[in-house]
Amino acid sequence: MFGKILIANRGEIALRIIRACKEMNIATVSVYSQIDKESLHVKLADEAICIGTALPKDSYLNIENIISAAVGVGADAIHPGFGFLAENAKFARICEECHIAFIGPDAKMIENMGDKARARELMIKAKVPVVPGSKGAISTIDEAKVIAKKIGYPVILKASAGGGGRGMRIVDKEDELEQLFLTASHEAQLAFGDGSMYMEKYIRNPRHIEFQILGDSFGNIIHLGERDCSMQRRHQKVIEESPSPHISDDVRAAMGEAAVRAAQSVNYKNAGTVEFILDADNSFYFIEMNTRIQVEHPVTEMVTGIDLIKEQIRIAYGEKLCYTQDDINLVGAAIECRINAENPSLNFRPCAGTITALHFPGGRGVRVESNMYSGYTIPPTYDSMIAKIITFGKDRAEALSIMKRALSETVIEGIDNNIEFQLDLLHTKAFEEGCFNTSYIEQNLDEILEV
Ligand code: ADP
C-alpha cells in the first residue's frame, strides 16, 4: 500500500481523507495556504507544508508548489479531494510524469468528462439518454438559434467547462438568446478560461438523481445506488439523500444500468458520479459525469457501508474491487444537510469571522464532517460550506427525525449560518413527503423563510 499520501485540499474534505489514511496506516501530508495555518487539516496530518498565500491560484491551485511539496516529502500519492485541482487534467498528467499516483481517474478521462459538451457526445455514442440539445459545442449564435428552434424553448445554455452552476443561462425565447449567450460565454471565459457553450432543452421542475460509480484497473465497474440531490438553490445542492424518496425500483434499476453503461463506455477508473435529471414522466437524461469524490459521498457510505475514500485509495494503488454489483445492498436511509456560513435572510450572503462557541450534535445515527472548532476564524477566501451533518435511520422517516433533532442541538456562534433555514426546509410538507424538485426553494423561498 502507499506509504505516504499528500492531500491537495483544505477544509472538511482534507480531514475526511486524513482520517481514512490514518485508519489504513498511511502517513499523511497536508498542504496549506498562509491564511490556513490554524486549520485543523494542518494540525491533524503527520506533516504540513505551506504552499503559498491565501488566493487559490497562489496555493491550492499552484501545481508547481504542490508537486514540489510532494516530491520533497517523498509522498507516493496525491489525493485531490473535490474542487481546486480535482478535475484538472494537467495536474493529473504531471503527477503521472513525476511517478506520484493521482487518486482519481487518469488525465485523459478527466479531459473527456470535464468538457461537458464532449461528454455529451460520448454518451450519445454509448446510447445513454441525454437531454435533447446540441450535439457538441455551439460555434455561432445563428447555430444556437437553429438548435433552439428545433428543440423548442425554453432552453438552457451551459458552459462546456462548467461547474458550480457558472456559465449557465435559461432562455425562454429567441429575442433573449443572443444576449444571454454572450453573457454566459463571457462568464465561462472568466471562470474557466474557456467560453465555449452547448445547449440543452430546459426540463421544467426536474429531480436531480445521480449514481455513485466505482471502477478498478481491471475493467470492473459497479454502482453504489443513487443520491437524490433535488433540494437545490440556484442549481447548487442544499440537501442530499439516499435512497431517493421519489423513484420506483424499476426506474432505479434502469438508471443504475445506464450509469454503469456510461462509465463502461469510457472505461472509467476510480470513484465517479453519473448525474441525471428526471422529468415528470420519469424519463431520465444524463447531464454530466464528475470524475472525483463528491461533497455528498457520505450518504452513499451510510446506506452501503462502504468507505469511498478508502476504495479510491485502493483502486489508485492498483487493487481489484472486492465487491460485485450483487454485493451492493442499500440498507436504511441517509440524509445530508450542508451547513454554510451565510445569511439566508440577506440573500444567503456569505459570512467570514470567528466562531465563538461551537457544539456539534451527536447520538445515534449522526455523523458530522467539519473542520470547525471554537475559536477558529473562517477566512473570506474560500467556499462557505463549514460542515456537513449526515443522519442515518432504518428508513427515511427515522433519518429525518434524527436530522431535525441533530440540527436543533447544533450551536454555532459568532458567524451567520443556515441551520435555521435547513430546519425550516426539513419541516416543509414538500420535504416531509419527498415531493419537491430542483426549483422548490426558489419557488417557495418567502414561505420557507417565514416558517
Ligand atoms: P454544474 O456542473 O455547473 O453544477 P450541471 O450540469 O451539473 O451543472 O447542472 C446543475 C443543475 O442545473 C442540475 O442539478 C439541475 O438542477 C440544473 N440543470 C442542468 N441542466 C438542466 C436542464 N437541461 N434542464 C433543467 N435543469 C437543468
Side-chain angles (χ1 to χ4, degrees):
M1 187 32 77
F2 297 124
K4 196 185 261 192
I5 293 180
L6 180 142
I7 297 110
N9 215 302
R10 64 181 300 282
E12 62 84 23
I13 191 63
L15 284 196
R16 170 76 188 87
I17 299 162
I18 291 170
R19 287 171 171 151
C21 290
K22 287 195 171 176
E23 289 165 19
M24 294 174 86
N25 280 322
I26 298 171
T28 50
V29 185
S30 280
V31 291
Y32 63 98
S33 70
Q34 280 168 9
I35 206 170
D36 268 346
K37 96 172 170 294
E38 299 301 331
S39 280
L40 223 44
H41 78 288
V42 176
K43 297 177 199 275
L44 291 195
D46 298 310
E47 290 171 79
I49 299 173
C50 182
I51 48 162
T53 47
L55 281 185
K57 73 173 177 41
D58 299 321
S59 46
Y60 299 107
L61 288 174
N62 187 324
I63 296 180
E64 211 177 303
N65 290 4
I66 293 172
I67 296 283
S68 307
V71 171
V73 296
D76 39 17
I78 294 184
H79 197 307
F82 50 66
F84 296 123
L85 294 170
E87 286 170 293
N88 184 311
K90 182 176 161 201
F91 181 59
R93 194 162 284 126
I94 293 176
C95 288
E96 258 166 59
E97 284 164 7
C98 297
H99 304 292
I100 297 168
F102 175 82
I103 302 176
D106 60 33
K108 187 83 206 144
M109 185 79 60
I110 299 176
E111 224 155 53
N112 278 338
M113 290 296 147
D115 180 335
K116 293 166 75 175
R118 166 132 183 79
R120 248 177 88 79
E121 286 179 64
L122 290 169
M123 290 307 123
I124 294 169
K125 266 197 207 137
K127 302 210 167 11
V128 173
V130 300
V131 192
S134 61
K135 194 152 171 283
I138 300 170
S139 327
T140 64
I141 287 164
D142 283 344
E143 191 188 341
K145 283 186 178 163
V146 172
I147 300 166
K149 199 166 240 164
K150 199 167 131 214
I151 59 178
Y153 288 88
V155 297
I156 182 165
L157 291 166
K158 296 167 90 171
S160 303
R166 276 174 303 179
M168 212 148 78
R169 292 290 186 287
I170 298 157
V171 189
D172 287 318
K173 43 186 192 302
E174 190 174 298
D175 307 353
E176 300 170 351
L177 186 69
E178 179 163 0
Q179 187 55 37
L180 290 171
F181 187 98
L182 294 173
T183 48
S185 176
H186 181 68
E187 187 176 302
Q189 181 66 42
L190 285 180
F192 314 111
D194 174 2
S196 65
M197 303 295 298
Y198 67 105
M199 186 190 288
E200 287 176 352
K201 171 103 187 136
Y202 181 65
I203 308 287
R204 286 190 196 276
N205 305 331
R207 303 274 306 201
H208 172 118
I209 297 185
E210 58 186 34
F211 277 72
Q212 177 68 52
I213 295 289
L214 282 180
D216 65 18
S217 318
F218 303 89
N220 301 305
I221 294 178
I222 58 170
H223 76 76
L224 272 61
E226 80 279 9
R227 293 185 286 260
D228 192 322
C229 314
S230 304
M231 196 53 93
Q232 302 187 346
R233 193 180 78 86
R234 295 198 173 158
H235 305 305
Q236 295 301 297
K237 298 158 188 166
V238 175
I239 303 177
E240 301 97 340
E241 59 184 306
S242 185
S244 166
H246 179 77
I247 58 175
S248 66
D249 285 345
D250 287 350
V251 173
R252 172 174 297 116
M255 293 182 83
E257 189 271 327
V260 169
R261 185 149 32 91
Q264 273 166 346
S265 73
V266 291
N267 219 341
Y268 195 80
K269 202 181 84 183
N270 215 287
T273 297
V274 182
E275 295 192 338
F276 296 103
I277 47 179
L278 183 80
D279 70 12
D281 303 326
N282 278 332
S283 297
F284 57 88
Y285 309 95
F286 168 90
I287 50 170
E288 70 167 335
M289 178 157 195
N290 289 314
T291 55
R292 54 169 160 82
I293 194 75
Q294 287 190 265
V295 172
E296 58 273 23
H297 75 275
V299 294
T300 298
E301 295 185 322
M302 303 313 283
V303 296
T304 59
I306 293 175
D307 185 317
L308 285 165
I309 303 289
K310 289 181 187 164
E311 291 303 325
Q312 284 195 292
I313 294 171
R314 288 192 195 108
I315 291 168
Y317 189 67
E319 288 185 9
K320 230 184 203 150
L321 274 180
C322 55
Y323 309 96
T324 64
Q325 193 63 62
D326 290 344
D327 296 327
I328 307 300
N329 293 307
L330 305 195
V331 177
I335 302 175
E336 172 182 278
C337 287
R338 297 191 186 199
I339 309 304
N340 298 329
E342 64 186 13
N343 188 332
S345 327
L346 296 176
N347 199 20
F348 298 85
R349 190 177 71 187
C351 167
T354 300
I355 296 186
T356 51
L358 180 72
H359 173 76
F360 276 132
R364 186 173 165 271
V366 179
R367 167 174 171 183
V368 177
E369 298 285 341
S370 175
N371 63 323
M372 297 298 120
Y373 58 85
S374 188
Y376 175 73
T377 299
I378 300 167
T381 327
Y382 308 109
D383 196 77
S384 61
M385 190 176 77
I386 54 170
K388 305 185 304 205
I389 297 179
I390 303 109
T391 60
F392 175 72
K394 66 179 186 305
D395 52 25
R396 185 176 192 266
E398 191 181 46
L400 178 54
S401 62
I402 296 176
M403 183 63 88
K404 289 176 182 166
R405 183 273 285 169
L407 292 191
S408 54
E409 277 174 25
T410 309
V411 178
I412 305 177
E413 282 175 12
I415 51 148
D416 295 334
N417 65 75
N418 66 340
I419 296 218
E420 284 303 318
F421 179 73
Q422 285 282 15
L423 270 169
D424 291 342
L425 267 182
L426 298 176
H427 280 96
T428 59
K429 189 163 173 275
F431 194 82
E432 303 249 6
E433 292 178 355
C435 285
F436 50 89
N437 58 59
T438 57
S439 309
Y440 178 77
I441 293 182
E442 262 94 18
Q443 287 169 357
N444 297 279
L445 188 58
D446 292 342
E447 223 170 285
I448 302 165
L449 287 172
E450 262 168 34
V451 175

